[in-house]
Structures are given as structure tokens and as C-alpha cells.
């Protein structure tokens, strides 16, 4: 799947006005969104630093060794576990627990309530490639989102060679216009804890407004994006690009949408060597 996107900045003072304009444009009320992001970094393949480097009397590394080192150095990207916080169900005159208790099924009600509490955060494993190089009218990159419904997520990633780095939270408002998603959001800081605790911890949710902001100015980022199953299909690519450029023109009085800076969207792990010369 490929993501086509444009980005813009919204100041704190313009935030409310921008939401009103987007609500009018999309003909819908904003959907409040809260996402917990856990960042995982791949471990460097063991023994990589023991491979010979180019230079010395031979001058050029042997072709097979060069190919192996390039392969082991390639494809190292950060992954994220993204937990979408599911809003509480609206309270009615009678909930499922009351019905179960009235039927003498209190144990089942307790079990159902525990299941609901565990599903308060809907997790997915997200991979985002670096946007395509060159001057592009919109940012285009390969993305993958896999739903994670059960199991030990941290152990799963550890077995694949990924280790937990940090966490943060994204809060904002989403709008939808046909197949385009408009997400006005900002990043909040979270205290750093162990990976196992980070997956289970939701203690900060009742006090989100008290969390420190990453951007001290209080500004927001707006992302307009379209997900395309086959981004290499010329017709689908052209249509997605055309839709985003039309959206950019329609909203130019409210916000300036441009392709994202490729370096700031780079999800690759910096290549470093601990080998001593």
C-alpha cells in the first residue's frame, strides 16, 4: 500500500478556525483521535562490523563480501506500535452488565467487562518507508499497517530483532472527504518506561491536557493523505495526486499544504559503525 500526502502547519491561534473550515469543507464534525505511539529500533545484524572494509593493498572489497555487507546494512527501519484509543461507549438506560446481572450471569458480566477494558486500545504495527526522492508534487511512500489483536507484542518484535526505544502520544481531529483523510494533530510527551509497561499503561489518558507538548508554540500539524493499494499503478497514482492538489487549491486560504520534507520523514536507522580502526 502507498500513502500520498501533503502537510501543513496550523498555529495555536488558528486551530479553532481551521477546524471550522474543515468541518464546512467535509460536511462533518471532527472526530477526536488519540494515538499512543511506541517506537522500536532494529538491532544491527551480529558480526556486521567484522566484515572487511574496502581499502588496504587490494583497494576494492571482494564483490561477494560487498554484496553481503550492502544487504545487511539495507532495510533497517524504525517500526511503531500504534495504539488507537477507542472512545467509551455512550451510556444508556441499561448496559450489558445490568442485563447479565438480572439474568444471574454475574461471572460472565465480569469477564465481558475485563475484555472491554483490554480492548480500550486498538493496536497495529506500522511501517512507513522514506518518501520517494526527487521533486514530487505530493509525498509518496510505501506503508504497511497490520492489526495486532492478541499476544505479547514486545516479545514478538524482540524475536524479529527489534527493541523498544521510546513512546509519545498524538492527539487531534480527523476529517474525511471521500477517500482523503485530513488529520490536524500535535505530539505530546510521555514519561519513558519499559516496553512491557508501555503497552499496558493508559494511566495518562484521563489527564491528557496536562501532558507537555513537543512543540512549545502549541502549533498543530495537518496531514492530508490518501492510501492507495497499488501506488505503482499510473492511473491510481495520478488520481490520488490530482485529488490532493485539488484539495490544496481549495484550502489555500486556510492552510498551505506542501509535500513533506524527505529528511524529516526518513524512517531509516542511521548507519553507524563501532569498529575500531
Amino acid at each position: 500500500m502507498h500513502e500520498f500526502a501533503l502537510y501543513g502547519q496550523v498555529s495555536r491561534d488558528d486551530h479553532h478556525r481551521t477546524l471550522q473550515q474543515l468541518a464546512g469543507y467535509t460536511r462533518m464534525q471532527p472526530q477526536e483521535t488519540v494515538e499512543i505511539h511506541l517506537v522500536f529500533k532494529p538491532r544491527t545484524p551480529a558480526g556486521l562490523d567484522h566484515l572487511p572494509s574496502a581499502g588496504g593493498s587490494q583497494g576494492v572489497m571482494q564483490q561477494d563480501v560487498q554484496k553481503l555487507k550492502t544487504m545487511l546494512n539495507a532495510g533497517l527501519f524504525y517500526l511503531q506500535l500504534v495504539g488507537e484509543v477507542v472512545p467509551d461507549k455512550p451510556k444508556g438506560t441499561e448496559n450489558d452488565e445490568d442485563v447479565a446481572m438480572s439474568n444471574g450471569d454475574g461471572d460472565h458480566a465480569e469477564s465481558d467487562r475485563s475484555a472491554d477494558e483490554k480492548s480500550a486500545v486498538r493496536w497495529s504495527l506500522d511501517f512507513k518507508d522514506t518518501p520517494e526522492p526527487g521533486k514530487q508534487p505530493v509525498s509518496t511512500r510505501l506503508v504497511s499497517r497490520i492489526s495486532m489483536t492478541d499476544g505479547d507484542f514486545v516479545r514478538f518484535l524482540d524475536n524479529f530483532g527489534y527493541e523498544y526505544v521510546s513512546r509519545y502520544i498524538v492527539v487531534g481531529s480527523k476529517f474525511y472527504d471521500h477517500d482523503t483523510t485530513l488529520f490536524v494533530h500535535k505530539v505530546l510527551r510521555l514519561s519513558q518506561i519499559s516496553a512491557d509497561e508501555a503497552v499496558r499503561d493508559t494511566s495518562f489518558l484521563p489527564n491528557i491536557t496536562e501532558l507537555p507538548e513537543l512543540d512549545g508554540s502549541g502549533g498543530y500539524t495537518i496531514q492530508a493523505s490518501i492510501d492507495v493499494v497499488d501506488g505503482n499503478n499510473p492511473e491510481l497514482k495520478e488520481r490520488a495526486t490530482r485529488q490532493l492538489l485539488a484539495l490544496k487549491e481549495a484550502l489555500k486560504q486556510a492552510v498551505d499544504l506542501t509535500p513533506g520534507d524527505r529528511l524529516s520523514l526518513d524512517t531509516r536507522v542511521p548507519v553507524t559503525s563501532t569498529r575500531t580502526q
Side-chain angles (χ1 to χ4, degrees):
M1 181 168 64
H2 284 76
E3 175 190 77
F4 295 78
L6 291 172
Y7 302 86
Q9 296 292 324
V10 178
S11 67
R12 182 200 298 267
D13 295 337
D14 290 337
H15 178 242
H16 181 66
R17 177 180 59 81
T18 301
L19 292 186
Q20 289 182 316
Q21 291 175 322
L22 292 179
Y25 179 81
T26 59
R27 300 174 301 280
M28 65 169 287
Q29 291 301 308
Q31 293 190 359
E32 300 306 316
T33 302
V34 178
E35 296 177 348
I36 306 167
H37 289 243
L38 309 184
V39 182
F40 287 80
K41 176 182 178 180
R43 291 187 289 270
T44 303
L48 182 61
D49 289 334
H50 296 291
L51 291 175
S53 300
S57 59
Q58 295 181 346
V60 179
M61 192 187 307
Q62 295 181 8
Q63 184 177 1
D64 290 343
V65 177
Q66 172 74 40
K67 185 184 299 184
L68 176 61
K69 191 161 189 176
T70 301
M71 180 182 67
L72 293 176
N73 264 321
L76 297 181
F77 292 82
Y78 288 96
L79 294 180
Q80 291 197 8
L81 271 179
V82 179
E84 182 182 359
V85 179
V86 181
D88 294 335
K89 296 179 180 179
K91 295 181 180 180
T93 55
E94 188 178 48
N95 57 35
D96 295 338
E97 182 181 353
D98 294 335
V99 174
M101 292 297 290
S102 65
N103 292 333
D105 198 7
D107 293 339
H108 287 293
E110 184 69 25
S111 176
D112 291 342
R113 185 171 67 236
S114 298
D116 288 341
E117 290 173 354
K118 291 180 180 179
S119 63
V121 178
R122 187 164 49 226
W123 292 99
S124 64
L125 181 62
D126 280 25
F127 164 77
K128 293 187 176 181
D129 201 352
T130 305
E132 295 180 359
K135 189 174 182 180
Q136 306 287 342
V138 302
S139 295
T140 306
R141 62 178 171 181
L142 181 69
V143 298
S144 176
R145 299 184 183 92
I146 303 172
S147 178
M148 306 284 281
T149 57
D150 197 11
D152 188 335
F153 305 152
V154 176
R155 183 178 179 183
F156 170 79
L157 287 169
D158 181 67
N159 289 337
F160 274 92
Y162 285 83
E163 58 187 28
Y164 171 71
V165 178
S166 61
R167 65 174 184 163
Y168 61 91
I169 188 168
V170 174
V171 297
S173 307
K174 283 186 177 181
F175 300 85
Y176 300 96
D177 180 47
H178 301 291
D179 52 1
T180 304
T181 301
L182 292 156
F183 189 19
V184 184
H185 61 279
K186 62 181 176 180
V187 176
L188 305 179
R189 299 178 184 272
L190 286 175
S191 59
Q192 301 308 318
I193 56 179
S194 68
D196 290 326
E197 291 178 307
V199 173
R200 300 190 300 267
D201 180 34
T202 56
S203 60
F204 51 84
L205 291 179
N207 303 308
I208 286 182
T209 56
E210 299 177 7
L211 294 175
E213 299 182 13
L214 181 63
D215 182 355
S217 70
Y220 290 76
T221 297
I222 177 171
Q223 174 182 325
S225 62
I226 299 175
D227 290 341
V228 177
V229 175
D230 182 9
N232 294 319
N233 184 308
E235 182 179 349
L236 296 178
K237 182 175 182 178
E238 181 183 355
R239 185 171 68 181
T241 301
R242 188 169 58 249
Q243 286 182 221
L244 286 174
L245 293 180
L247 176 69
K248 174 182 178 179
E249 179 66 21
L251 297 178
K252 66 180 181 180
Q253 299 300 326
V255 62
D256 182 24
L257 294 174
T258 61
D261 180 79
R262 189 167 184 263
L263 292 179
S264 67
L265 297 174
D266 196 337
T267 57
R268 293 171 296 181
V269 176
V271 178
T272 59
S273 177
T274 58
R275 184 176 181 177
T276 57
Q277 302 298 327

